[in-house]
Amino acid sequence: MSDYESGFKALLAELKRRRVVRVALIYGAVAFAGLQALDLVLPALGLSERVFSATVAAVLVGFPVTLALSWIYDLTPRGWVRTGAGAARASWRGGGALAVLAGIAVSVVSGWWLSGRTVQDTGADPTTAVDDHAPIERIALMPFVDLSSESDNAYFADGLTEELRGAVGRIDGIRVAGRASTFALREVTDDPQDIGRQLGVQAVLAGSVRKAGDEVRINAELLSAADGLDLWTEQYEATVDDVFDVQAQIARAIADASEAAIRIPPSENVMAVDKVRWGRFNWNRRTAAGLEAAISNFEDAIAFDSSYAEAWAGLADSYILLPEYAAMDPVQAIRAGRDAAEQALALEPDLAQAHASLGLLEMFDWEWAAAERSFRRALTLDATYATAHQWYANMLMGQRRWDEALERIAHAEDLDRLSTVTKQDAARILLNAGRTDEAITKAQDTLDRNPTYAALWLDLGYMFLEAGRFSDARDAFGGAGDFLGTGADTMDAFVDAVEAYATTGEPQALPGRDGYPDPSAWLAAQLMLVGQTDEALDVIERGVRDRVWDMMTIGGSVVFRSLDGNPRYEAALEAVGLN
């Protein structure tokens, strides 16, 4: 046996005698368990990652020190005593033993070096922890929780969320998750990592509002979607008059965290802002009563501050939606909406929301080129405005620009991932582009998440009719309830008529015809589905002559595709500007 081997064996024997190996094993086990426990409780204690890094450094340094002490001392019933030399004392000083001792020395130096590097890399002030993260480019603003004792202050919390959304949306380089998506998650999850996965964002802004009279307390925190840790948190005490300043402070903090710039132009009239908060709260209810209340709120805001552009834009949006939910003359609604949108732009020419509203109104008036300019302008001003992408996609669908429409609606879905309305429009575009099975799948997936959305059940019924799945169509129309104002019996009779025409080729009578406005593209589509082609063309021609707004849909709807080449239909398309 060589001197090297005998020296190495002698050293192992000496390590065992001095209990160094046992101490190393115990130290490793205890250190591992302790670090695991610390990693679990660190977030709950509100401590930074710096504490964990410092602990790891201490463990690294402590390991070789502990081994050295265990070599020199031993714990006995008489207490700590210096370990005496053993029989192998002379032989363990050979080449192999020296190599092991050199390794221990290297571990001491490495532990010291790693501890210094760890503290150096993570030793920034906790208030600047965001410097360790990549600049924020996508953020979700979750609805602020209302903690007020009064029951009628929910609108204030929602309004503050909307105003912050607008402020953060003006930060250069930041994309804000759509309102529908964040509000849809309000009752589902408050886990920032889960929100990050579902919405594809890097950070989540959450908070609470407690309002008592004119006094407001706002708690806000910016959370990392990667690990759920706080990037910053702050509490603000203010009066209602000072809420604008608080919004500016929060938005600037986000801007600082993302190395961006910000511009915030609020109204200075507190009562006007309060009315706009109420208006958006009611507008988002998407009911006839809600939209009528929203119009009243926005008009009150304008009475308090006639120069408040966002109040005029809200009024325009309310008129745009009202004919879909209430019995209002579309011509009157379009005129009122256009006046409001133009006034908003006169006050604030760079308000993206108003440009998008004007684009939709121009589309209703068949002014296709002007509509496209307005949508493009809106997206130039705010590329994160999901509604502008959505409405632009609908315009492209009406012009049969399928690839562009699908690309644009995909942008809207990406920005507002949980928006049922956006997914409804995506399914409609797929249907009219001839991708019926994909449209059905998207509609069904969306209804799985929001089974009470009657409008989409109605659309799904027509998708099933296009696919020849008549039994499924009856079930889907049943899910729509009375959304159309017609009973289940009428819808069943309608499906029977469509199925009879598809089976026999014989035109059928249209059940419940009195329930459809005449003339309208909607009535013409129903007549096409039961085989009354000539009467459908009569309705289209009257609609074009009377400039009925929904004639804008006759080019994109799959229902009219069989009319391609028909001289009467082609003339109607040309009159509407689609040919």
Side-chain angles (χ1 to χ4, degrees):
M1 180 180 295
S2 67
D3 291 342
Y4 184 95
E5 292 174 325
S6 61
F8 184 78
K9 288 186 175 181
L11 176 60
L12 288 180
E14 189 70 9
L15 288 172
K16 289 179 181 179
R17 187 181 73 82
R18 295 174 183 257
R19 297 186 176 87
V20 174
V21 175
R22 185 180 67 176
V23 169
L25 293 174
I26 294 173
Y27 186 96
V30 172
F32 178 78
L35 290 173
Q36 291 283 357
L38 182 61
D39 189 40
L40 291 174
V41 303
L42 200 65
L45 296 175
L47 300 175
S48 71
E49 293 179 85
R50 187 182 177 192
V51 174
F52 187 82
S53 299
T55 304
V56 172
V59 169
L60 289 172
V61 173
F63 181 67
V65 172
T66 302
L67 294 185
L69 290 174
S70 69
W71 176 273
I72 299 170
Y73 295 100
D74 190 17
L75 181 62
T76 70
R78 301 187 304 277
W80 291 98
V81 297
R82 189 178 182 88
T83 306
R89 179 177 180 179
S91 60
W92 64 260
R93 294 174 179 168
L98 293 176
V100 174
L101 290 176
I104 293 176
V106 169
S107 72
V108 172
V109 175
S110 298
W112 170 81
W113 182 80
L114 286 172
S115 67
R117 286 297 296 264
T118 304
V119 173
Q120 179 183 354
D121 289 345
T122 61
D125 188 289
T127 60
T128 61
V130 292
D131 290 341
D132 293 332
H133 295 258
I136 298 168
E137 296 176 349
R138 298 194 59 160
I139 185 171
L141 272 72
M142 299 305 294
F144 275 42
V145 178
D146 177 35
L147 301 179
S148 308
S149 56
E150 297 88 349
S151 59
D152 62 347
N153 277 325
Y155 83 96
F156 186 87
D158 285 356
L160 177 63
T161 306
E162 288 299 294
E163 288 154 19
L164 275 171
R165 184 186 308 282
V168 175
R170 297 185 182 99
I171 300 176
D172 294 337
I174 287 188
R175 300 172 67 186
V176 183
R179 179 196 183 281
S181 294
T182 52
F183 274 73
L185 288 177
R186 185 207 301 250
E187 305 297 334
V188 177
T189 181
D190 59 2
D191 179 1
Q193 293 175 281
D194 190 21
I195 294 169
R197 283 190 295 270
Q198 294 200 49
L199 302 185
V201 297
Q202 297 165 287
V204 176
L205 179 67
S208 64
V209 180
R210 188 183 300 274
K211 182 173 179 286
D214 290 337
E215 301 296 321
V216 180
R217 174 179 293 173
I218 299 171
N219 291 294
E221 57 181 347
L222 188 66
L223 305 164
S224 168
D227 51 25
L229 298 177
D230 278 345
L231 300 179
W232 60 257
T233 183
E234 191 60 78
Q235 182 178 98
Y236 303 89
E237 302 279 352
T239 65
V240 171
D241 292 346
D242 296 330
V243 166
F244 295 131
D245 292 335
V246 173
Q247 290 171 212
Q249 291 177 52
I250 296 173
R252 287 193 188 101
I254 296 172
D256 290 342
S258 54
E259 303 173 6
I262 185 166
R263 173 181 63 89
I264 302 176
S267 167
E268 296 181 357
N269 189 294
V270 175
M271 294 301 295
V273 173
D274 196 59
K275 288 297 183 180
V276 167
R277 289 192 188 110
W278 270 113
R280 283 301 175 188
F281 179 81
N282 285 316
W283 185 79
N284 284 306
R285 290 165 56 192
R286 290 299 200 277
T287 63
L291 290 169
E292 289 166 355
I295 289 174
S296 178
N297 296 145
F298 290 126
E299 288 176 340
D300 287 344
I302 291 166
F304 284 115
D305 182 0
S306 60
S307 65
Y308 192 5
E310 292 186 15
W312 286 102
L315 187 62
D317 287 348
S318 299
Y319 278 120
I320 288 172
L321 293 184
L322 194 58
E324 184 178 351
Y325 293 90
M328 181 178 185
D329 177 14
V331 175
Q332 180 184 351
I334 291 171
R335 185 182 301 116
R338 181 187 282 269
D339 290 344
E342 289 177 345
Q343 182 62 34
L345 290 173
L347 293 166
E348 191 174 334
D350 291 339
L351 186 60
Q353 178 185 329
H355 280 283
S357 301
L358 185 60
L360 188 62
L361 291 161
E362 288 165 338
M363 191 169 77
F364 288 167
D365 270 346
W366 314 344
E367 299 173 5
W368 302 97
E372 184 156 15
R373 285 194 298 272
S374 292
F375 289 135
R376 287 184 176 276
R377 178 60 178 158
L379 292 172
T380 297
L381 293 167
D382 184 1
T384 69
Y385 186 30
T387 300
H389 287 282
Q390 175 195 345
W391 289 346
Y392 191 8
N394 284 327
M395 189 210 79
L396 295 167
M397 175 181 68
Q399 296 179 317
R400 299 190 186 182
R401 295 159 62 180
W402 304 117
D403 291 343
E404 293 176 79
L406 289 167
E407 181 181 359
R408 188 63 59 185
I409 199 66
H411 280 303
E413 286 189 278
D414 185 51
L415 289 166
D416 208 349
R417 296 190 177 192
L418 300 183
S419 169
T420 302
V421 174
T422 302
K423 293 187 180 299
Q424 177 186 22
D425 281 353
R428 287 175 174 173
I429 293 171
L430 287 167
L431 173 71
N432 291 317
R435 296 162 61 172
T436 306
D437 290 342
E438 293 176 65
I440 290 172
T441 298
K442 183 171 284 289
Q444 289 176 320
D445 289 346
T446 305
L447 286 167
D448 285 343
R449 291 188 294 270
N450 189 357
T452 62
Y453 188 45
L456 187 50
W457 280 111
L458 185 67
D459 284 354
L460 181 60
Y462 286 106
M463 293 173 195
F464 283 134
L465 289 181
E466 179 65 22
R469 296 167 56 176
F470 301 108
S471 177
D472 290 333
R474 291 185 184 89
D475 291 341
F477 287 135
D482 292 333
F483 182 75
L484 266 182
T486 59
D489 292 343
T490 300
M491 293 309 296
D492 283 344
F494 170 64
V495 176
D496 290 342
V498 176
E499 185 175 12
Y501 171 61
T503 303
T504 67
E506 295 293 328
Q508 304 293 311
L510 178 62
R513 174 166 177 165
D514 292 342
Y516 301 101
D518 186 3
S520 68
W522 186 249
L523 174 59
Q526 310 312 302
L527 291 167
M528 288 294 298
L529 288 169
V530 297
Q532 298 190 38
T533 304
D534 288 339
E535 191 165 356
L537 286 166
D538 291 341
V539 171
I540 289 174
E541 288 173 340
R542 292 201 308 274
V544 171
R545 181 195 65 207
D546 296 345
R547 291 196 62 84
V548 175
W549 71 275
D550 75 341
M551 288 295 133
M552 69 177 183
T553 65
I554 63 174
S557 175
V558 69
V559 174
F560 301 114
R561 204 62 43 81
S562 63
L563 293 175
D564 284 351
N566 182 295
R568 297 173 66 189
Y569 178 61
E570 297 295 335
L573 289 179
E574 185 173 359
V576 176
L578 294 171
N579 207 355

